[in-house]
Amino acid sequence: MTVENNGPLPGSGSHRVPLSRQRRGVLQYLRGQSGSVTATALAQVCALHVNTVREHLDALVDDGLAARERSAPAGRGRPAWRYRARPPQESPAREYAGLAAVLAARIARTSADPRGDALAAGEDWGRVLTDGQEPSADPREARERLLGLLGEIGFAPEADAEAREVRLPRCPFVETAREHPGVICGVHEGLARAALGALGEDSQEIELLPFAEPGACRLHLDTNPAPGPGPAPGGGTPSDAGPVPDSGPVPDSGPVPDSGPAPDADPAPDTDPVSGAGPAPGVAPARQSGVEAGEAP
């Protein structure tokens, strides 16, 4: 299996730059909190302006040293962001790229169902990353939280206003994904599925198209069709109709009825029954991505 373009750039998730004295102080205050806190509450502890604290917190999230999540909904308006310090072992460092390459190669070589095993592994990973987080009743909010998680890992997601169509210009395991797209991209799809399920109360479907365009993969969120009357029997869209059912041979209607011979004339010979092999099955066009053979992570 090969890929048709280079796909996303490598993504490290965190950029380890030296922390300024003030940012290091904000991190120390954050680590001293018993749970997640808002930027406003932390600003009071640090004796800094809330906008300054928010800027430092966002940078710490980008560096993988802090995590950001929405508060539980309460009343009208969007809930505030809450922040918590990540323990060192929880930081999404990319030093494990070599291990990922070894594991992907082993799954591809030994598994009877590499994609299925990759999806299952990714779902386990997604559940670990979202353990203990409260699900949101707002599907859009759940999608935005998923994008935040993908950003922490290193995908640098770029989404539309509704967080439905997402471009992934970076990938933390892109080199291994080019070699084993069915495994690595399957892990990432499973991660997104499980994480979105844990972060939202409403069921939403996803579709990940690896190497869908030069420089990026594509992630479609909330792919459930809009409510409305279903298609007419036998209908459907070209992408999901599948092969046209074979109706079998045309029923034999028997010989054409004889209206009776002319006097003293022999009756016309019976005609052969009509034979039919039925229509040739049609094949619906499959949705294409950059991965050949229909693999999708």
Side-chain angles (χ1 to χ4, degrees):
M1 187 189 329
T2 59
V3 296
E4 295 179 353
N5 58 64
N6 290 331
L9 295 172
S12 62
S14 59
H15 308 282
R16 297 300 183 190
V17 297
L19 299 180
S20 67
R21 180 182 60 81
Q22 192 176 72
R23 187 164 299 170
R24 187 165 57 250
V26 170
L27 178 60
Q28 289 300 112
Y29 278 113
L30 187 62
R31 285 175 172 169
Q33 306 305 305
S34 59
S36 61
V37 295
T38 64
T40 301
L42 192 62
Q44 295 176 351
V45 176
C46 299
L48 295 172
H49 192 279
V50 64
N51 290 340
T52 301
V53 170
R54 187 176 289 113
E55 178 182 345
H56 289 313
L57 288 171
D58 289 342
L60 292 172
V61 169
D62 291 340
D63 286 343
L65 298 172
R68 178 175 53 207
E69 57 193 41
R70 287 287 188 186
S71 303
R76 307 178 68 177
R78 179 168 293 185
W81 287 111
R82 300 183 69 86
Y83 300 83
R84 61 180 175 84
R86 285 182 179 275
Q89 67 271 19
E90 191 182 347
S91 299
R94 298 300 96 206
E95 288 82 3
Y96 300 106
L99 177 60
V102 172
L103 294 177
R106 182 171 182 82
I107 291 176
R109 185 174 62 252
T110 64
S111 173
D113 181 13
R115 173 167 167 77
D117 287 345
L119 285 169
E123 290 171 355
D124 288 343
W125 187 15
R127 283 188 284 267
V128 169
L129 292 178
T130 55
D131 182 46
Q133 297 195 35
E134 291 293 327
S136 173
D138 181 357
R140 176 179 171 180
E141 176 65 27
R143 295 193 297 270
E144 290 178 345
R145 291 172 65 186
L146 171 63
L147 297 183
L149 176 62
L150 293 177
E152 291 181 24
I153 294 172
F155 288 97
E158 302 169 356
D160 62 2
E162 292 295 322
R164 295 178 186 272
E165 299 295 323
V166 185
R167 187 173 181 270
L168 302 175
R170 292 188 176 272
C171 174
F173 304 110
V174 66
E175 295 299 332
T176 305
R178 291 190 185 111
E179 187 175 357
H180 303 291
V183 177
I184 292 297
C185 302
V187 169
H188 294 160
E189 181 174 330
L191 183 157
R193 285 183 182 179
L196 186 59
L199 295 173
E201 295 179 354
D202 294 335
S203 175
Q204 300 186 73
E205 294 296 326
I206 78 160
E207 182 180 23
L208 178 60
L209 303 179
F211 300 91
E213 62 180 71
C217 300
R218 284 279 179 179
L219 179 64
H220 302 292
L221 302 179
D222 194 15
T223 59
N224 286 321
T237 62
S239 62
D240 61 9
V244 177
D246 188 351
S247 59
V250 177
D252 187 356
S253 59
V256 177
D258 190 355
S259 59
D264 299 329
D266 293 331
D270 290 344
T271 59
D272 291 333
V274 178
S275 63
V283 179
R287 186 168 191 171
Q288 295 296 318
S289 74
V291 178
E292 296 178 355
E295 293 287 354

